[in-house]
Amino acid sequence: MTTALAERPTSAATPPRSTAVLRRIAEMRRTSPGRLRLMLAVLLVLAALTGTVAGLTARAAATGTADLGGRAQPLLTEAETIYSRLADADTTAAQAFLSGGQEPVVLTARYEEDLSVAATALTSAARRTPEKGPAADAIRALSAGLARYNALVATARADNRQGLPVGASYLATASELNRETLQPQAQVLFQIAEQEVDAGYDDARSSWWLSLLLALLLILVTALLWVQGRLSSATRRTFNVPLVAATAVTVVLALAAGVVFATQRDALDDADRNGSTPVTTLAELRIMALRERAAEALTLAGRAGSGADEERFTAISDQLVFDDPSLDGLEAYTDEARSQHEAYVALHEKVRELDDTGRYDEAVALALGTETTGAFEALTGTLDQALTERKAVFDDDIHRAGRGLGVLTVLGPLLALLICLLVGAGIRARLEEYR
Amino acid sequence: MRRAAGVLTALLLLTGCTTVEEPVTEKPSAAPEAAEETTTAAPDCDARASLRPTGSLPAAGRMPAGSYMEEIRKRGRLILGTSQDSLLFSSRNPFTGAVEGFDVDMGRQIAAAIFGDPDKLQIKVIPHGDRTKVVADGQVDLVINTMTANCARWQEVDFSTVYLEAGQKLLVAKDSTVRGIDELGGRKVCAAVGSTSLRNIAAVSTGPIAVARPGWGQCLVAFQLGEVDAVSTDDTVLAGLVAQDPYTKVVGDRFTEEPYGIAISKNHPDLTRFVNAVLERDRENGTWTRIYEKWLGEDLGAAPQPPAARYR
C-alpha cells in the first residue's frame, strides 16, 4: 500500500523521460551557453563514432583479407590439387595396366605420390571448411572414397602380380569409382572454393563499413566547420585554434584511411584480376588436359577402339583453346601451351590411327612412349609454371592489401580521442566566458 | 574399362542411381543393353542350326572374288569382337598384355584360314550388352565371346554352328552349403549386363535378386567384396572365375543349355558359311580337341566330342 501511494504522485508528475530530454534540449537552444554545450555533445558523439567505425572497418577489412589469402584461396588450390591428382592417378593406373607385365616403377611412384598429395590436400581442406555444409560433405565423401579407391587399386596390383585377369576388373571398378564418384566430388569442392573466393573478396573490401566511415568523416568535418563558422561570427576571434587542430586531425584521419583503403582495394582488384581469376582458369585448363590424357589411356585399356572415351577426348580437346579473356597478358604461356597442346593432339591422333587400323601394340607403345609422354608433360609443365607465377602475384597482392590495416585499427580510435580532447578544449574556452 | 564406363553411365542415366547394384529383376528396362534379351517374343527356331558351307574351304590367301572374306583379306586383318576378362576364353594375359583363350583361338583359326596367318587378327573389346549390335552394324566381322545362340539373337545376327556346349551353374563361397540357385531366394546373384544368364537368374521361381555388372570379372570383384552372394552363369565361364579364387566353388547341375555360336552379320552369309567350313575342318582334324585341352582341359576335364554341326 505504502509503495503504491508513494509512487503515484511521481508517475503523475514527471512526463515520460524522452519528452523530458527533448524539452531540456529545446530549453538549452534558447541560451548561448546551452547552444555551446549542445555543439560540444554532438561533436564528441560524432568523433567517438567515427573513431570506432574507422577501427572496425580496418579490422573487418583486415580479417576479410586474411581470410581470403589464408583460407579461401588455399582451399581453392587444395580443391584443384585433389581434383587433378585424382585425374592423374586414374591415368597412371590405366597406363600401368597398359604397359603389361610388372608395373613400371616410375608409374607406381607417380601413383603413390598422386594419392599421398591428394590425401594431404584433403586434410588441409578439411581444416579450412566449416564442419557442416556441402564442402564438408564433399570432403567426407572424398576421404571415404579415396581409401576405397586405394584398396581396389592395391587388390588389382596384387592380382596382376599373380597373373589373375580379375586384377583388370578391379582396376576397372576402381577407375569407375574415381571418375563417377570421386572426381565429381572434387569438382563440387572446387566450385564451392571458387564461390568462397568470390565471397572472400566482398568481405575483404568491406564496402558497407567503408561507406559508413566515409559518411561519418564527411559529417564530422562539416560539423566542425559549421561550429567554427558560428563561433567566429558570434565572437571577434576568427579562429578557434583547438577546433582548427581538431579539423586538421580529422582530415589526417580521413587521408590515412583513404590511403590505406585505396591501397587495399587496388591490391585486391589486382589480386582478383591477375591472381585468383587466372589461377582458376589455369587450374581448370590443367584438369581438362589431365582428363584428356586419362581418356586416351582408358580408350586403349578398354581395347574397344574409338568410343565414348575418345569422344570425351575430342570434346575436351575442342575446349582447350587457351584463349580465355582472363588469361590476357599471359600470351607468353598461352601461346606456348597452345602449340604444345597441338603437338600432343597430333601424337594422340597417330595413336588413334594405329589403334583403329589394328596396330594396337604400336598404339600402346606410342601413347606410353617418351615422345607422347614428353609432349604431354611439356604442356602440363607450362601450365604449372603459369600457375606458380600467378599464385605468387596473388600472394604479393594479398600481402600488400593487408598493409596498414592493423595500424588503422589502433590509429582510428586514437585520433578520434585526440579530436574529442581538442573539441573539448576549444568549446570549454568559450563556455568559460559565460561564467 | 571403357565398357565399364559406358554401361555404368547408361545405367546411371536411366535410373539416376549411384550404386552399381541395379537389380534387374524388377525392372528389366533398367539396362538398355538387356532390352534385346528381354524381348522374348522371338519365334520358335532351331538356334543350333546354321548355314551350310558351300563346297570345300578355299585355300588361305585365295578368297573367292566378291566375297566378304576377300574384302577382309584386302583390309589385311580380321576384326574379332570379344571381352578381355573371361579367363580361359578371352582374357588379357597380365604378363604379356595379349588377349588369349579358347574363343580367341577360334578367331585365330578363322584368321589363319583367310590369311594363312593367325596373327592377322584385331581384337576389339566390346560391351557385353552390345554384342549383337556391333555385329549387326559392322563394327566387327564376328563376335566370339561365350555367346549363346538363341532365337532372340538369331533375329538380329546369324550364328555359326555350335562350337561349344555350356550350361548355367552357380558359383558360391567354398564353405557355403548352398547347392543350387533356387536356394538363393532374396539373395543377390551377379551376372553380366545383356547376358542370357542375367535373364535366367531373374526367371528362377524362388526369386534371387539379379545384379548386373559390366563383365564377368566385375562379378567376381563384387563377390570378393561381399556385394553379391553368388555369381551365376555358364559353367565354362565360372571355371575361369574359380581358377582365380581358391575360396570359391561351382555347385549344382546345369539348369540351362547354352550352345555357343560365333555371331556374324546377316549381310554376310558367305562369311557364316566359310566359318562353318572352318569349324567343320577343325572338328575333324583334331584342332578343336587340341584347343579345348589347351584352355579348358585343366579345369573342365578331358575334351568331350565336339558339338555336331547342324544345318538348316
Side-chain angles (χ1 to χ4, degrees):
Chain A
M1 271 321 245
T2 41
T3 43
L5 281 171
E7 264 174 25
R8 206 188 303 147
T10 333
S11 58
T14 33
R17 212 176 151 69
S18 58
T19 330
V21 171
L22 283 178
R23 190 178 302 162
R24 274 195 64 190
I25 290 174
E27 275 167 18
M28 281 170 83
R29 284 184 63 190
R30 270 182 238 134
T31 64
S32 292
R35 279 201 288 276
L36 279 174
R37 280 197 196 94
L38 268 179
M39 285 174 189
L40 178 63
V42 168
L43 286 179
L44 287 181
V45 167
L46 270 177
L49 258 179
T50 310
T52 316
V53 169
L56 286 176
T57 308
R59 179 147 179 75
T63 316
T65 309
D67 183 69
L68 176 63
R71 195 191 64 84
Q73 186 72 30
L75 182 62
L76 184 73
T77 306
E78 274 143 13
E80 187 264 334
T81 305
I82 297 166
Y83 197 167
S84 59
R85 289 294 180 156
L86 282 172
D88 196 54
D90 194 29
T91 311
T92 313
Q95 286 177 341
F97 168 79
L98 273 179
S99 49
Q102 181 69 34
E103 195 174 288
V105 184
V106 211
L107 291 179
T108 313
R110 191 157 134 205
Y111 170 84
E112 300 289 347
E113 196 205 326
D114 280 338
L115 275 213
S116 89
V117 171
T120 313
L122 203 54
T123 320
S124 338
R127 273 193 286 109
R128 297 185 208 280
T129 43
E131 206 179 327
K132 280 181 183 146
D137 290 344
I139 287 173
R140 262 192 293 277
L142 279 167
S143 305
L146 207 59
R148 194 173 135 76
Y149 175 72
N150 206 2
L152 288 171
V153 173
T155 312
R157 258 194 216 142
D159 283 341
N160 237 10
R161 285 201 97 137
Q162 295 174 59
L164 304 175
V166 72
S169 303
Y170 267 97
L171 199 63
T173 310
S175 175
E176 218 170 84
L177 176 71
N178 188 326
R179 274 170 303 124
E180 311 283 337
T181 312
L182 299 183
Q183 286 186 34
Q185 291 292 348
Q187 197 179 11
V188 167
L189 191 63
F190 187 75
Q191 282 159 356
I192 295 172
E194 254 186 282
Q195 289 161 12
E196 293 211 357
V197 167
D198 285 345
Y201 276 105
D202 288 343
D203 287 350
R205 288 195 180 102
S206 307
S207 297
W208 191 87
W209 277 112
L210 199 59
S211 15
L212 183 65
L213 176 64
L214 203 70
L216 281 170
L217 279 166
L218 266 174
I219 295 170
L220 180 59
V221 170
T222 318
L224 279 168
L225 292 175
W226 181 78
V227 167
Q228 288 173 73
R230 287 294 301 260
L231 287 181
S232 75
S233 63
T235 63
R236 253 174 270 140
R237 292 183 188 83
T238 319
F239 297 109
N240 178 316
V241 179
L243 282 187
V244 169
T247 315
V249 172
T250 312
V251 171
V252 166
L253 176 60
L255 282 178
V259 169
V260 167
F261 286 113
T263 314
Q264 189 231 11
R265 297 203 141 215
D266 178 60
L268 285 178
D269 288 346
D270 193 60
D272 192 356
R273 199 175 48 249
N274 297 321
S276 300
T277 309
V279 162
T280 308
T281 312
L282 287 165
E284 278 166 356
L285 288 174
R286 196 172 63 163
I287 290 168
M288 278 162 74
L290 288 167
R291 288 178 54 213
E292 208 179 36
R293 183 85 165 134
E296 177 185 82
L298 289 170
T299 303
L300 289 174
R303 213 170 180 152
S306 302
D309 285 311
E310 177 56 19
E311 278 163 32
R312 198 169 64 230
F313 183 99
T314 317
I316 298 172
S317 183
D318 289 345
Q319 288 174 47
L320 264 178
V321 283
F322 306 97
D323 65 351
D324 195 278
S326 67
L327 298 179
D328 284 352
L330 293 176
E331 279 75 17
Y333 291 115
T334 51
D335 289 348
E336 199 181 351
R338 194 175 304 116
S339 68
Q340 282 165 336
H341 183 245
E342 275 160 16
Y344 165 65
V345 169
L347 284 165
H348 169 80
E349 266 152 23
K350 247 198 243 170
V351 169
R352 291 313 318 146
E353 196 193 311
L354 286 171
D355 186 24
D356 289 339
T357 52
R359 294 151 76 186
Y360 178 78
D361 293 335
E362 289 167 65
V364 172
L366 178 61
L368 300 188
T370 45
E371 195 186 356
T372 314
T373 309
F376 182 76
E377 280 174 0
L379 167 64
T380 49
T382 305
L383 292 176
D384 278 346
Q385 252 182 323
L387 260 174
T388 313
E389 190 201 277
R390 291 297 109 187
K391 279 179 188 163
V393 168
F394 174 86
D395 287 342
D396 280 355
D397 281 333
I398 287 299
H399 184 71
R400 190 157 62 91
R403 216 178 283 160
L405 288 174
V407 176
L408 196 62
T409 312
V410 184
L411 198 66
L414 277 181
L415 288 181
L417 191 64
L418 186 59
I419 296 167
C420 287
L421 289 175
L422 289 168
V423 166
I427 292 183
R428 184 181 292 264
R430 294 282 74 75
L431 272 172
E432 295 291 326
E433 291 166 6
Y434 293 96
R435 288 274 158 96
Chain B
M1 219 172 282
R2 191 205 73 77
R3 140 175 74 153
V7 170
L8 189 86
T9 326
L11 270 171
L12 288 177
L13 280 176
L14 271 158
T15 60
C17 177
T18 41
T19 59
V20 194
E21 293 163 29
E22 183 54 31
V24 188
T25 333
E26 310 299 343
K27 29 181 179 175
S29 63
E33 295 84 354
E36 163 231 328
E37 305 298 337
T38 46
T39 49
T40 43
D44 268 355
C45 73
D46 183 359
R48 284 183 162 80
S50 181
L51 310 178
R52 190 176 291 279
T54 42
S56 59
L57 207 55
R62 295 216 188 116
M63 293 298 113
S67 68
Y68 187 62
M69 290 78 80
E70 176 61 9
E71 227 176 279
I72 294 171
R73 197 193 61 78
K74 280 189 196 144
R75 185 205 294 148
R77 62 189 196 281
L78 175 71
I79 304 176
L80 167 68
T82 188
S83 70
Q84 60 175 343
D85 67 347
S86 308
L87 187 65
L88 309 181
F89 288 90
S90 54
S91 71
R92 184 180 179 277
N93 181 327
F95 301 122
T96 61
V99 177
E100 56 187 32
F102 187 93
D103 282 350
V104 175
D105 274 3
M106 287 288 140
R108 285 169 64 82
Q109 286 297 316
I110 297 161
I114 296 176
F115 300 98
D117 177 358
D119 289 328
K120 299 222 157 158
L121 183 71
Q122 178 188 356
I123 289 176
K124 225 170 172 174
V125 174
I126 48 167
H128 224 83
D130 287 350
R131 290 183 296 182
T132 50
K133 192 177 140 273
V134 294
V135 172
D137 59 21
Q139 289 180 43
V140 298
D141 295 324
L142 30 85
V143 165
I144 314 180
N145 182 210
T146 60
M147 187 171 179
T148 306
N150 63 26
C151 295
R153 288 172 177 163
W154 261 104
Q155 292 196 301
E156 292 173 64
V157 295
D158 282 348
F159 281 100
S160 69
T161 52
V162 175
Y163 69 90
L164 193 67
E165 288 281 356
Q168 192 163 347
K169 286 191 178 180
L170 189 69
L171 176 144
V172 290
K174 191 101 191 180
D175 55 2
S176 167
T177 54
V178 171
R179 274 166 307 166
I181 189 157
D182 40 1
E183 292 176 37
L184 287 175
R187 312 258 296 272
K188 286 177 179 165
V189 182
C190 186
V193 170
S195 63
T196 45
S197 312
L198 190 68
R199 198 156 50 94
N200 294 336
I201 296 169
V204 173
S205 59
T206 50
I209 300 165
V211 174
R213 287 297 157 99
W216 298 116
Q218 265 140 314
C219 271
L220 184 59
V221 171
F223 177 81
Q224 291 182 346
L225 296 176
E227 291 165 1
V228 297
D229 300 300
V231 180
S232 178
T233 182
D234 308 343
D235 47 0
T236 46
V237 177
L238 291 181
L241 299 185
V242 168
Q244 298 180 66
D245 186 347
Y247 295 99
T248 58
K249 64 180 177 189
V250 174
V251 295
D253 295 322
R254 284 181 175 179
F255 60 94
T256 63
E257 274 184 24
E258 312 289 345
Y260 291 166
I262 298 172
I264 298 164
S265 164
K266 286 203 177 290
N267 297 331
H268 308 307
D270 51 347
L271 179 60
T272 309
R273 290 178 203 280
F274 178 83
V275 166
N276 283 338
V278 175
L279 288 176
E280 195 105 312
R281 183 199 65 192
D282 287 352
R283 285 189 194 99
E284 275 160 24
N285 68 12
T287 310
W288 186 92
T289 311
R290 189 173 50 76
I291 296 175
Y292 186 100
E293 303 262 310
K294 177 178 171 195
W295 295 107
L296 309 175
E298 204 176 300
D299 298 279
L300 294 174
Q305 275 299 308
R310 235 152 69 187
Y311 299 108
R312 30 186 72 181

